[in-house]
Amino acid sequence: MALLEGKKILVTGVLTEASIAFHVAKFAQEQGAQIVLTSFGRTMKITTAISRRLPQEAPVVELDVSDPAHFEALPDLVREHVSSLDGVLHSIGFAPKGAFDFMNATWEDVAPALQVSAFSLKALAVACQPLMPRGSAVVGLTLDASVAWAGYDWMGVAKAAFESTNRYLARDLGPQGIRCNLVAAGPIRTTAANSIPAFSRFAEWGEHSPLGWDIADPTPAARGCVALFSDWFPATTGEIIHVDGGFHALGG
Ligand code: NAD
């Protein structure tokens, strides 16, 4: 039997074919899942076009995570396509340019980063919760926030909040049988990555990883997400699985 046979999964964050979320949607479909995508504003058209490159074209519903009204509308929009959700992928990150300068950033730079990149995990889970039966899963993507990275700055702080949010969600959704886990991916060249001014510093990641790492390949991170959606992590929640070539395990 395929890993996600019969499961219905809401996938946020498909912007281009390089998006980690695109590969999650693709592998999930290959493993038997039915996919609904989200996008927002002007990117709705792009996501709809990219959706045609999936093994099966998936419907796209609107979700701008900075707009609370969109979360209220989300369950009904999803119900137009599927009656329930066995999985929800959070693959969303954004910070204004000023947030990548730690000492000079203003609250106006930082607030959107925290709202879009961290608080949105809670908001997404709460909005989807009524559609999620026991055994379903929320999965998100982080860049290991246990250390300070050159050039990541307030986005790194937002990721630390995101990782903490995952643990609190695991606490509060566990009694309903909903698992909440993150994949801590190594660096991958995507639109979000290109907005990080010092992203080129991650180029040597592979040289410091026991398994090596290809910055152009979203496949390992996406497969990690698919595994977390499957029934093969039934007792795992509040966890962060490193999918980084083993980079995190070495001290130098
Ligand atoms: P991406 O640019 O393809 O995806 C980011 C997505 O966030 C886009 O689809 C964008 O439309 C969406 N988004 C931004 N603002 C939004 C809003 N207000 N409402 C709804 N959606 C919004 O880049 P990606 O690298 O695939 O990023 C996906 C996730 O993976 C992010 O959380 C990112 O931090 C994380 N991540 C990326 C890397 C990397 O190196 N690329 C490494 C570790 C973790």
Side-chain angles (χ1 to χ4, degrees):
M1 193 172 100
L3 211 54
L4 302 181
E5 197 62 55
K7 290 194 187 288
K8 303 172 195 82
I9 300 179
L10 185 69
V11 173
T12 67
V14 173
L15 179 61
T16 69
E17 257 180 282
S19 295
I20 300 168
F22 176 81
H23 295 267
V24 176
K26 177 171 158 266
F27 291 135
Q29 286 185 341
E30 287 171 2
Q31 291 300 319
Q34 188 181 347
I35 299 297
V36 177
L37 302 176
T38 77
S39 188
F40 74 110
R42 283 180 298 158
T43 60
M44 286 284 285
K45 268 192 187 161
I46 303 172
T47 305
T48 305
I50 296 293
S51 169
R52 292 189 199 110
R53 301 193 190 162
L54 288 169
Q56 293 112 42
E57 186 174 350
V60 184
V61 300
E62 185 157 36
L63 176 65
D64 178 344
V65 298
S66 63
D67 187 341
H70 282 206
F71 283 112
E72 271 174 47
L74 185 66
D76 284 340
L77 291 178
V78 171
R79 272 192 207 96
E80 287 176 16
H81 304 285
V82 290
S83 55
S84 60
L85 287 173
D86 305 290
V88 175
L89 180 76
H90 182 290
S91 190
I92 294 169
F94 168 77
K97 219 173 177 180
F100 294 99
D101 179 346
F102 190 79
M103 296 303 260
N104 292 311
T106 64
W107 175 240
E108 284 66 37
D109 295 321
V110 172
L114 290 172
Q115 183 183 21
V116 172
S117 309
F119 183 78
S120 63
L121 178 63
K122 192 281 286 188
L124 180 65
V126 168
C128 293
Q129 184 189 353
L131 293 165
M132 298 180 78
R134 293 192 80 79
S136 56
V138 178
V139 176
L141 285 140
T142 189
L143 182 79
D144 187 352
S146 61
V147 294
W149 297 103
Y152 206 44
D153 298 73
W154 285 97
M155 190 62 193
V157 177
K159 283 300 192 195
F162 181 69
E163 293 179 4
S164 181
T165 302
N166 175 59
R167 289 185 285 270
Y168 279 94
L169 275 178
R171 181 194 71 180
D172 289 351
L173 294 178
Q176 294 158 51
I178 301 174
R179 295 172 289 120
C180 303
N181 293 294
L182 304 180
V183 163
I188 302 157
R189 220 164 250 306
T190 61
T191 307
N194 287 336
S195 68
I196 302 168
F199 188 77
S200 57
R201 291 195 188 204
F202 288 130
E204 286 161 23
W205 191 278
E207 288 165 36
H208 304 287
S209 305
L211 295 174
W213 183 258
D214 181 358
I215 214 161
D217 186 10
T219 302
R223 283 181 181 257
C225 294
V226 167
L228 283 169
F229 281 128
S230 80
D231 295 331
W232 290 89
F233 277 102
T236 298
T237 196
E239 188 58 276
I240 302 174
I241 309 275
H242 290 84
V243 181
D244 64 351
F247 183 98
H248 72 283
L250 300 194

